Amino acid sequence: MPINAPPPSVRVVTLRIDGLDLSAREDETIIEVCRENKIPIPSLCWMDGLSVVGACRLCMVEVTGQNRLLAACATRVAEGMEVTTDSEKLRRYRRTLVELLFAERNHVCSVCVSNGHCELQWLAEACGVDHVRMPYRNAGYGVDSSHEMFRVDHNRCVLCTRCVRVCDEIEGAHTWDLMGRGSDCQVITDLARPWGESDTCTSCGKCVQVCPTGALVKQGTSVGEMVKDQHFLPILARRRSTR
Amino acid sequence: MTLCTLPGTATMSRTISIDPVTRIEGHARISLQLADSGEVEDAKFHLTQFRGFEKFCEGRPYREMPALTARTCGICPVSHLLASNKACDDLLAVSIPPTAEKLRRIMNLAQLLQSHALSFFHLSSPDLLLGWDSDPAQRNIFGVMAQNPELAKQGIKLRQIGQTIIEMLGGKKIHPTWVVPGGVNEPLDSSKREAMLEMLPNALTIAKDTYALFKTMVPRFKDEAEHFGTMPTMFLSLVSPKGQLEHYDGFLRLKDAEGRIVEDMVPPSDYPRIIGEAVEDFSYMKFPYYKPMGYPNGIYRVGPLARLNNADSCGTPFADVALAEFHMLQEDSGPVRSSFHYHYARLVEIIFAIEMMQRLLKDQGILDTRVRARARGNRNEGIGVAEAPRGTLMHHYRIDDAGLISWVDLIIATGHNNLAMNQSIKQVADAYVDGNKLSEGMLNRVEAMIRCYDPCLSCASHAFGQMPLSIELKDAAGNTLDRLVRDA
Ligand code: SF4
Ligand code: SF4
Ligand code: FES
Ligand SMILES: [Fe+2]
């Protein structure tokens, strides 16, 4: 169905990313411009179609004139901006962040249903994580398998909150929330009741599809069989914003 | 390989321990307790590695079990994969599509082929060909290569064929994820079928040649055959509903040392009625026994020897001829009792595996695309039993209503043989160990006897790593007097 979007009344700015002169709409973020121009930046919490939380910090970039690193997903472009997406320092930071994600919970890829189709694994590869230099915490987290169709394994959760946002912003059910702090932080359904008993969950499965790891999966999948399909998101999100 | 003897005082009663038994899968320790008279009083096979695997699985979704248990062992993962998926089929309460069963059978037989080839050619042929008293530096597959390059080459080839078939079916040699609860996740395509069928005639030729060669060698090992575990024990294995040789499904049969059938057509799910598990301080490996006879009288053996003793026939032409010849190894009409003949039994099974794979691959329905039954956990308890190369493998799970594991028990082949191995060590020690010296030849025979069972210690203790093995000599008071340690 063609959408009659109003003609854009936004201005266009020019900026320089990794030495390339680019133009972009002034309401775009750095990561959006990079994605459009095929400039790779790792990201985890950001997702085209969801609101921005800037939680994972994997998309950090250097901006000339700023003495701190900025999250590309949470920073709007500006006229004359000069961005560096790849440097020794950025690589070091990103690799450390990914390692910390592995060290915090229990990612046993070889038995995980998401093995081979996991964004955390891809990130590890992209960031050169061949091993984890800090000690694993080895703390056990729960598995909630009470839902007919889906399961959440907190051992594999990276707290990106994509599930929370998609459920709230796209499905409108707001089943998911965050509870607890630090390493105890966990995604919960309704008021921390078992997912299978949730009154709000419509079983649409959107959270499962957007979850980057094997934390949210379909029941009945075996090792390596959980392949996620996220192409629905930008379509639904655009329809929503133009309603 | 180093050989070190710790200085010992001259006491009459002592214990000899054997530390790394080289060329067995995984590692363990053996100790021999000598009486005051200098005779071997007791022999113990210790497994000291951590056994926490069953605990580790609790709370995990049952669908992770095949991959989790396959990782208890890098040596026989396919066997765990099959037994585990069968236990999961049982949890789903489905019967899997017939084509899926045939495909799983092929994978199991390919695993049997590669594992037996490894055991015979790589691990045991050095002893058999070069002799127990030969130079230890030469007594390995490279030594075999030097003396009989053709045999070594063929052995490597045979194992490779088994591995290639596993890889073609499962996508991976070591840890395939193709077998899933309810069946397999991809049908066989015709080009792979052709490729497999093309490899098998060569495999059969190698298997038959090796069998013929070994047959001529057997009389040379009269001594070993008489001393390597000839104690009377029962034999446990699966048999098909017709009583034939079976590795994937069927029913449990238990024969006694005289060949009388003690239990027959026991559904695998009934194993807890006949099998109990004892625990001993000196080993982390459990000691299964035949419940009605109690511990330790209910001793039995599993594996190739037990399967051939239990089967009425193989059901394939060449293997059936070989089975008849196998029975002639025993002078009376009873089961073949010497554990030395595990080697022989392995060669017979290699022939069977190849013939059977050919039959299954030629089956009309083998390319059928319906290969998976879909269901969720419909039962809270599931049991899966299959014959691993080394013997009967049992997986037993309980799940809660949400499908999370609440209890696990695994009984593995090396466990079933645990009692028999301990007794066999004592028997070999009686015959070959002179309490006053720890000779290479004696050590090698104790090791060689253990290798007859082809124990997989890595999954016996559910250990993830390798453990060295030592021989230790202790006096009656428990003081270590002498100790041999060898690094692989
Ligand atoms: S979620 Fe991804 S990184 Fe974590 S165990 Fe599964 S495959 Fe590995
Ligand atoms: S469950 Fe998945 S989507 Fe939700 S926060 Fe955890 S990793 Fe992100
Ligand atoms: S993707 Fe930008 S902070 Fe997570
Ligand atoms: Fe094993």
Side-chain angles (χ1 to χ4, degrees):
Chain A
M1 185 179 70
I3 300 164
N4 299 320
S9 59
V10 283
R11 283 198 306 148
V12 167
V13 297
T14 54
L15 72 163
R16 189 173 253 252
I17 303 182
D18 295 342
L20 287 175
D21 287 317
L22 299 167
S23 57
R25 286 168 21 178
E26 66 170 353
D27 62 349
E28 284 187 290
T29 56
I30 298 174
I31 201 167
E32 286 171 319
V33 179
C34 286
R35 288 287 191 269
E36 278 160 29
N37 291 285
K38 306 229 170 349
I39 300 168
I41 304 183
S43 66
L44 188 56
C45 64
W46 178 79
M47 214 178 179
D48 185 19
L50 297 183
S51 62
V52 172
V53 287
C56 73
R57 311 315 279 183
L58 274 162
C59 66
M60 287 178 304
V61 292
E62 292 168 6
V63 175
T64 310
Q66 296 277 347
N67 55 7
R68 59 190 180 99
L69 302 178
L70 298 177
C73 69
T75 308
R76 281 205 204 288
V77 294
E79 181 60 43
M81 197 179 225
E82 271 194 49
V83 180
T84 308
T85 68
D86 190 25
S87 71
E88 181 52 40
K89 180 177 172 189
L90 287 171
R91 278 198 293 263
R92 200 169 69 239
Y93 276 41
R94 289 173 186 151
R95 175 177 172 167
T96 305
L97 283 172
V98 176
E99 285 180 45
L100 284 166
L101 289 174
F102 278 99
E104 180 177 305
R105 305 208 174 181
N106 304 298
H107 291 274
V108 190
C109 301
S110 56
V111 304
C112 182
V113 292
S114 288
N115 193 10
H117 312 282
C118 170
E119 290 184 42
L120 186 55
Q121 284 183 328
W122 299 336
L123 274 175
E125 205 177 314
C127 298
V129 179
D130 44 13
H131 68 286
V132 173
R133 290 165 297 185
M134 38 290 245
Y136 288 90
R137 286 181 60 247
N138 289 322
Y141 289 80
V143 179
D144 178 357
S145 186
S146 59
H147 194 284
E148 266 293 293
M149 298 161 68
F150 314 120
R151 180 171 71 228
V152 52
D153 182 348
H154 297 284
N155 293 286
R156 316 271 198 259
C157 176
V158 293
L159 298 171
C160 66
T161 71
R162 287 188 194 176
C163 54
V164 178
R165 285 173 285 147
V166 80
C167 184
D168 176 47
E169 296 164 15
I170 307 293
E171 177 64 6
H174 199 124
T175 303
W176 292 98
D177 265 305
L178 284 179
M179 179 181 84
R181 302 208 154 255
S183 57
D184 290 333
C185 185
Q186 212 169 280
V187 287
I188 54 166
T189 41
D190 284 359
L191 295 166
R193 295 202 353 252
W195 193 356
E197 292 168 22
S198 166
D199 299 326
T200 56
C201 175
T202 63
S203 300
C204 72
K206 292 189 178 69
C207 56
V208 172
Q209 299 300 350
V210 300
C211 175
T213 69
L216 298 183
V217 299
K218 283 200 273 194
Q219 299 277 26
T221 43
S222 289
V223 178
E225 289 189 330
M226 186 64 232
V227 183
K228 311 233 166 156
D229 177 0
Q230 304 176 337
H231 82 280
F232 71 92
L233 185 59
I235 302 169
L236 289 187
R238 234 131 267 157
R239 285 196 189 161
R240 223 182 140 80
S241 63
T242 53
R243 247 203 314 248
Chain B
M1 192 180 281
T2 58
L3 190 77
C4 68
T5 304
L6 303 180
T9 44
T11 312
M12 297 287 283
S13 173
R14 9 185 245 163
T15 300
I16 303 170
S17 281
I18 305 186
D19 247 328
V21 168
T22 54
R23 282 179 287 128
I24 56 173
E25 312 280 7
H27 293 85
R29 189 166 59 90
I30 294 165
S31 70
L32 307 174
Q33 176 84 49
L34 300 186
D36 286 342
S37 60
E39 309 216 305
V40 181
E41 192 172 68
D42 199 9
K44 282 177 179 148
F45 192 28
H46 308 260
L47 267 162
T48 48
Q49 198 111 17
F50 172 67
R51 182 188 67 205
F53 187 75
E54 277 113 334
K55 203 91 215 120
F56 177 78
C57 300
E58 284 171 21
R60 299 306 308 167
Y62 70 91
R63 279 181 189 266
E64 280 183 6
M65 290 306 287
L68 269 173
T69 54
R71 277 175 173 72
T72 57
C73 184
I75 296 148
C76 41
V78 173
S79 310
H80 282 289
L81 197 66
L82 288 165
S84 179
N85 274 297
K86 289 186 74 189
C88 291
D89 297 343
D90 198 21
L91 292 171
L92 304 182
V94 295
S95 58
I96 72 170
T99 302
E101 185 190 313
K102 286 177 198 136
L103 290 168
R104 285 185 182 182
R105 277 178 186 274
I106 295 170
M107 187 177 247
N108 199 27
L109 291 167
Q111 157 83 348
L112 193 83
L113 169 62
Q114 78 86 12
S115 173
H116 281 2
L118 176 76
S119 167
F120 185 81
F121 292 97
H122 298 241
L123 306 177
S124 299
S125 77
D127 290 340
L128 301 172
L129 220 66
L130 310 174
W132 282 269
D133 301 306
S134 61
D135 176 8
Q138 278 298 307
R139 209 170 350 98
N140 50 41
I141 187 76
F142 302 107
V144 175
M145 199 81 90
Q147 171 157 349
N148 191 340
E150 200 45 36
L151 183 78
K153 262 209 314 246
Q154 297 210 321
I156 291 166
K157 178 81 203 155
L158 201 58
R159 174 155 193 244
Q160 219 171 45
I161 292 174
Q163 285 177 315
T164 308
I165 292 177
I166 294 173
E167 205 175 339
M168 282 181 143
L169 289 171
K172 270 199 244 171
K173 215 179 338 213
I174 308 290
H175 289 299
T177 50
W178 167 73
V179 187
V180 292
V184 297
N185 71 12
E186 226 181 279
L188 182 63
D189 78 54
S190 63
S191 63
K192 284 187 184 168
R193 175 209 218 177
E194 293 317 312
M196 289 180 210
L197 278 170
E198 221 159 271
M199 290 187 288
L200 288 172
N202 182 22
L204 191 58
T205 309
I206 297 175
K208 289 200 293 197
D209 288 352
T210 311
Y211 174 75
L213 171 75
F214 187 64
K215 223 164 49 177
T216 64
M217 289 167 64
V218 171
R220 271 194 249 159
F221 302 108
K222 198 165 162 291
D223 217 29
E224 283 76 17
E226 270 167 25
H227 297 294
F228 281 16
T230 51
M231 65 279 158
T233 71
M234 294 177 284
F235 296 97
L236 175 80
S237 73
L238 290 173
V239 291
S240 78
K242 289 191 198 142
Q244 292 183 313
L245 185 60
E246 172 65 54
H247 296 92
Y248 173 76
D249 210 10
F251 299 93
L252 293 167
R253 175 179 278 181
L254 193 73
K255 263 190 190 175
D256 71 11
E258 274 70 54
R260 284 180 296 252
I261 292 181
V262 183
E263 296 277 355
D264 205 12
M265 297 299 143
V266 179
S269 57
D270 249 13
Y271 90 82
R273 180 175 65 77
I274 59 170
I275 308 295
E277 287 181 277
V279 177
E280 294 268 19
D281 287 346
F282 68 83
S283 176
Y284 273 105
M285 193 152 61
K286 288 180 277 189
F287 289 76
Y289 59 96
Y290 176 51
K291 256 191 196 165
M293 286 179 60
Y295 180 77
N297 290 335
I299 178 174
Y300 60 84
R301 281 176 275 181
V302 299
L305 188 73
R307 290 192 287 255
L308 292 196
N309 276 330
N310 279 355
D312 302 336
S313 67
C314 294
T316 62
F318 291 111
D320 267 330
V321 174
L323 179 66
E325 289 171 342
F326 165 80
H327 281 300
M328 287 171 357
L329 294 169
Q330 183 70 25
E331 273 154 28
D332 55 43
S333 62
V336 177
R337 269 197 288 278
S338 172
S339 289
F340 181 75
H341 295 314
Y342 268 101
H343 294 310
Y344 197 110
R346 249 170 236 128
L347 293 177
V348 178
E349 282 201 322
I350 287 180
I351 295 177
F352 170 80
I354 298 167
E355 289 184 297
M356 200 44 133
M357 281 193 276
Q358 284 180 318
R359 181 179 300 172
L360 289 163
L361 282 166
K362 285 179 187 155
D363 187 284
Q364 283 202 327
I366 198 71
L367 299 178
D368 207 279
T369 50
R370 175 171 275 277
V371 289
R372 185 172 189 173
R374 295 198 186 255
R376 52 195 311 122
N378 288 311
R379 267 203 275 264
N380 291 104
E381 187 159 358
I383 293 177
V385 178
E387 286 289 334
R390 299 168 171 82
T392 318
L393 174 63
M394 301 169 161
H395 280 222
H396 188 173
Y397 311 149
R398 292 202 190 109
I399 54 171
D400 63 18
D401 291 339
L404 303 182
I405 293 282
S406 58
W407 179 88
V408 172
D409 191 30
L410 309 178
I411 310 183
I412 54 125
T414 304
H416 291 291
N417 279 336
N418 203 1
L419 270 176
M421 275 194 286
N422 277 273
Q423 291 206 4
S424 306
I425 292 170
K426 163 121 173 42
Q427 197 186 15
V428 172
D430 278 341
Y432 296 102
V433 172
D434 175 350
N436 295 318
K437 42 184 193 304
L438 299 171
S439 70
E440 263 282 332
M442 172 274 286
L443 285 187
N444 293 333
R445 279 186 177 75
V446 174
E447 291 183 19
M449 190 286 305
I450 295 172
R451 269 197 293 282
C452 289
Y453 290 91
D454 188 25
C456 184
L457 303 176
S458 117
C459 64
S461 57
H462 303 165
F464 289 93
Q466 298 255 300
M467 176 169 64
L469 208 136
S470 67
I471 248 200
E472 209 169 74
L473 183 75
K474 279 192 183 144
D475 65 14
N479 304 313
T480 303
L481 301 173
D482 215 351
R483 191 175 146 82
L484 278 182
V485 180
R486 288 202 305 199
D487 307 315

